[in-house]
Amino acid sequence: MGFLKNQFSNLVEWNEDGAGVLFYKFQNQEIKKGSRLIIRPGQDAIFLYNGRVEGIFEDDGDYDIESEIIPFLTTLKSFKFGFNTPLRAEVLFINTKELLVKWGTKNAINLQAPGLPGGMPIRAFGTFNCRIVEHDTVIEKLAGIRQTYTVEDVKERIIASLDQLLMSWISKEGRDMFNLQADARSIAKGIESDLDMDMRKLGIGISDFTIESFSYPEEVKKMQEKAAAQSMVGDVGKYTQISAADGMAQGGKGGGMAADMVGLQMGMAIGQQMVGQMNLGGGAQQGAPAQTVQPGAAQGAPQGSGAGPKFCPNCGTPTTGSKFCGNCGSQLF
């Protein structure tokens, strides 16, 4: 008899082989004498008989169905296994853990934006968490017709309504269409609330909906980069100081941009100085009296000595023997 008993017995369990499964229905409806129920951590087991819930078991463990499960079933308390009388019931395993799901818009969403008659197409992506929160609703709405229900099923339903939700929440409060990332958190919270309300109709809760990034068309990105570059170049002195500081912090590496900017400034100053000297020379040729240098007169430096003035004649900055002023870039000698 022991041999026959082992032949008829089976294990009622769910190994969770498939990733991202919210519930799984045990396929073998015949539960034989000597069978055992195994509930793993993060699982609930629900016994169904003729589509009706007979019992919900939430504690993980290894149970003998005849002695530890059947006595707690609603209408099957007195069921007795015969020699060839299996229990014809369904067991629905519920995944009670929160599952992380990545989402992304399938198509670009056209948002109204000033200066763009056809709207501005954007895309977005992020993540959300989902879990089963109401067993009865899941059984009524989904388990009767589905063998399993996965996060991909949840994702498909959410993506179907996400375009309208994004348009609705982005359009609120006059948000800046070109800087949506600044409002990503508040937009995500509004969408999370609407999605959670909709999915609870199926017994599934949505939480921690996040928008990681908004993606703009390449044309808009180039315009933003150009505007940022123009803003940076608008204050050349500040940009030069920041670049030089970055170069020093990196041990001299990365300071090439700062050096190039300084060289550009000096070149512009030298050009202006040369134009000024040419204008002065032209004035002398047109009859302007030439200034005579008397021996011993106070000048920036003795004639022919090769040394420049001690102070810049243009801005008054000490020259320290340089050929060009370190402040304004004027040529000294």
Side-chain angles (χ1 to χ4, degrees):
M1 289 299 295
F3 172 77
L4 292 176
K5 179 178 179 180
N6 291 334
Q7 290 295 310
F8 288 128
S9 65
N10 59 2
L11 288 178
V12 180
E13 61 179 339
W14 176 31
N15 291 318
E16 295 191 45
D17 294 331
V21 179
L22 291 172
F23 73 72
Y24 163 80
K25 189 185 297 181
F26 184 68
Q27 296 180 357
N28 186 1
Q29 296 183 1
E30 291 188 352
I31 301 174
K32 303 176 179 63
K33 185 179 179 64
S35 297
R36 305 191 66 82
L37 170 68
I38 298 177
I39 303 177
R40 292 178 169 81
Q43 296 179 357
D44 289 347
I46 303 176
F47 274 74
L48 303 172
Y49 185 70
N50 291 333
R52 177 180 174 180
V53 176
E54 290 290 324
I56 300 177
F57 302 89
E58 300 177 347
D59 296 331
D60 57 279
D62 186 340
Y63 303 92
D64 178 85
I65 292 179
E66 182 177 12
S67 62
E68 298 178 278
I69 299 298
I70 289 180
F72 296 96
L73 302 181
T74 304
T75 59
L76 299 174
K77 293 180 179 179
S78 58
F79 179 85
K80 300 295 182 182
F81 284 100
F83 177 75
N84 194 23
T85 307
L87 172 63
R88 297 182 180 275
E90 295 178 328
V91 181
L92 182 68
F93 288 92
I94 299 290
N95 188 345
T96 61
K97 300 183 291 292
E98 272 197 340
L99 300 178
L100 179 67
V101 186
K102 294 182 178 180
W103 64 268
T105 51
K106 283 186 176 180
N107 303 305
I109 304 171
N110 285 321
L111 300 174
Q112 294 183 355
L116 298 176
M120 179 173 60
I122 68 165
R123 297 176 181 270
F125 65 90
T127 62
F128 66 85
N129 290 343
C130 66
R131 62 185 294 265
I132 291 179
V133 293
E134 298 177 14
H135 292 167
D136 293 342
T137 306
V138 167
I139 293 169
E140 178 185 355
K141 300 291 185 179
L142 299 174
I145 57 175
R146 302 291 295 265
Q147 187 72 31
T148 62
Y149 200 78
T150 69
V151 293
E152 289 300 319
D153 296 316
V154 177
K155 181 178 176 179
E156 182 179 353
R157 184 181 179 95
I158 284 179
I159 294 298
S161 60
L162 194 56
D163 289 4
Q164 292 298 324
L165 289 175
L166 278 168
M167 293 180 65
S168 174
W169 282 98
I170 289 175
S171 301
K172 290 184 178 181
E173 303 176 7
R175 304 183 194 276
D176 181 3
M177 295 296 104
F178 296 93
N179 191 23
L180 292 175
Q181 199 61 41
D183 295 324
R185 183 175 178 82
S186 59
I187 295 172
K189 285 300 177 184
I191 294 175
E192 176 186 323
S193 177
D194 288 349
L195 288 177
D196 183 64
M197 185 182 302
D198 179 58
M199 293 302 297
R200 281 182 180 269
K201 298 175 183 177
L202 301 179
I204 298 172
I206 302 296
S207 62
D208 295 329
F209 186 92
T210 63
I211 300 175
E212 294 183 4
S213 179
F214 287 99
S215 177
Y216 293 91
E218 286 300 321
E219 294 78 7
V220 175
K221 292 180 181 179
K222 291 179 181 179
M223 290 173 59
Q224 291 174 329
E225 292 172 358
K226 184 176 180 180
Q230 290 176 344
S231 175
M232 183 180 296
V233 172
D235 190 349
V236 177
K238 182 176 181 180
Y239 176 72
T240 303
Q241 293 173 2
I242 294 174
S243 298
D246 288 343
M248 294 174 64
Q250 298 176 19
K253 297 180 180 179
M257 181 65 73
D260 292 343
M261 294 299 294
V262 171
L264 177 61
Q265 287 180 313
M266 291 181 63
M268 294 172 63
I270 291 171
Q272 293 174 354
Q273 182 72 11
M274 292 177 64
V275 172
Q277 289 178 351
M278 291 175 63
N279 290 336
L280 288 175
Q285 292 176 3
Q286 295 177 8
Q291 184 178 1
T292 302
V293 180
Q294 300 295 331
Q299 298 294 328
Q303 291 288 333
S305 64
K310 295 182 179 180
F311 299 93
C312 175
N314 185 41
C315 65
T317 302
T319 62
T320 66
S322 301
K323 293 184 179 182
F324 299 96
C325 176
N327 183 47
C328 67
S330 298
Q331 185 176 8
L332 301 178
F333 63 91

